[in-house]
């Protein structure tokens, strides 16, 4: 498999050049390609995880499984999630709020 890409490269002199090149993966094993992809996904996750406290990292990252397609997305800590829910229900009538609460209970039970 070959993949063609266009990238910007900035050298140590501060000069930026846009180049197009092809990377040939034909000689690489599946394990090698998986390791390269994993490295990329870890870097994407770390960009988000660095903003968390050590306690939050242990709670939200350790032992978890992440979808490779979404691993770099922001992780909300429980307090942020609760605050977002509270903001979304401001001004909501009691019937709609009760329905939302029921949905949240069912979602929590299914995990």
């Amino acid at each position: 498999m070959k993949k063609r890409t266009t990238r910007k490269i900035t050298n140590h002199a501060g000069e930026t050049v846009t180049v197009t090149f092809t990377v040939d993966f034909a000689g690489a094993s599946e394990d090698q390609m998986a390791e390269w992809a994993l490295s990329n996904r870890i870097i994407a996750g770390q960009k988000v995880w660095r903003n968390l406290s050590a306690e939050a990292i242990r709670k939200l990252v350790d032992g978890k499984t992440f979808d490779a397609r979404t691993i770099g997305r922001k992780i909300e800590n429980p307090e942020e999630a609760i605050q977002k829910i509270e903001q979304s229900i401001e001004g909501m009538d009691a019937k709609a709020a009760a329905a939302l609460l029921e949905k949240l209970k069912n979602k929590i039970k299914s995990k």
Side-chain angles (χ1 to χ4, degrees), residues 12-57:
H12 290 298
E15 302 166 315
T16 300
V17 180
T18 300
V19 294
T20 299
F21 57 94
T22 302
V23 177
D24 186 353
F25 292 94
S29 70
E30 284 186 20
D31 281 345
Q32 287 173 316
M33 288 193 286
E35 284 296 322
W36 295 328
L38 178 61
S39 176
N40 171 277
R41 298 295 69 211
I42 290 169
I43 291 168
Q46 286 175 338
K47 288 179 183 178
V48 174
W49 302 335
R50 285 188 186 108
N51 295 321
L52 302 172
S53 68
E55 180 182 335
I57 292 170

Side-chain angles (χ1 to χ4, degrees), residues 1-109:
M1 170 179 59
K2 294 180 182 181
K3 293 297 282 183
R4 186 171 176 86
T5 188
T6 299
R7 303 293 165 136
K8 287 184 180 181
I9 299 171
T10 302
N11 65 16
H12 290 298
E15 302 166 315
T16 300
V17 180
T18 300
V19 294
T20 299
F21 57 94
T22 302
V23 177
D24 186 353
F25 292 94
S29 70
E30 284 186 20
D31 281 345
Q32 287 173 316
M33 288 193 286
E35 284 296 322
W36 295 328
L38 178 61
S39 176
N40 171 277
R41 298 295 69 211
I42 290 169
I43 291 168
Q46 286 175 338
K47 288 179 183 178
V48 174
W49 302 335
R50 285 188 186 108
N51 295 321
L52 302 172
S53 68
E55 180 182 335
I57 292 170
R58 285 185 199 95
K59 183 177 181 181
L60 300 172
V61 178
D62 189 33
K64 304 292 190 268
T65 299
F66 294 89
D67 185 321
R69 298 166 297 176
T70 60
I71 194 169
R73 292 187 186 161
K74 184 180 185 298
I75 297 175
E76 287 185 335
N77 65 44
E79 293 79 22
E80 289 174 326
I82 290 168
Q83 184 177 25
K84 195 180 267 187
I85 292 167
E86 288 172 343
Q87 290 171 347
S88 71
I89 63 172
E90 284 181 15
M92 190 180 285
D93 65 56
K95 186 177 179 180
L100 177 59
L101 181 57
E102 193 60 35
K103 283 183 182 179
L104 289 172
K105 284 181 185 178
N106 290 334
K107 188 168 189 103
I108 292 167
K109 286 179 187 175

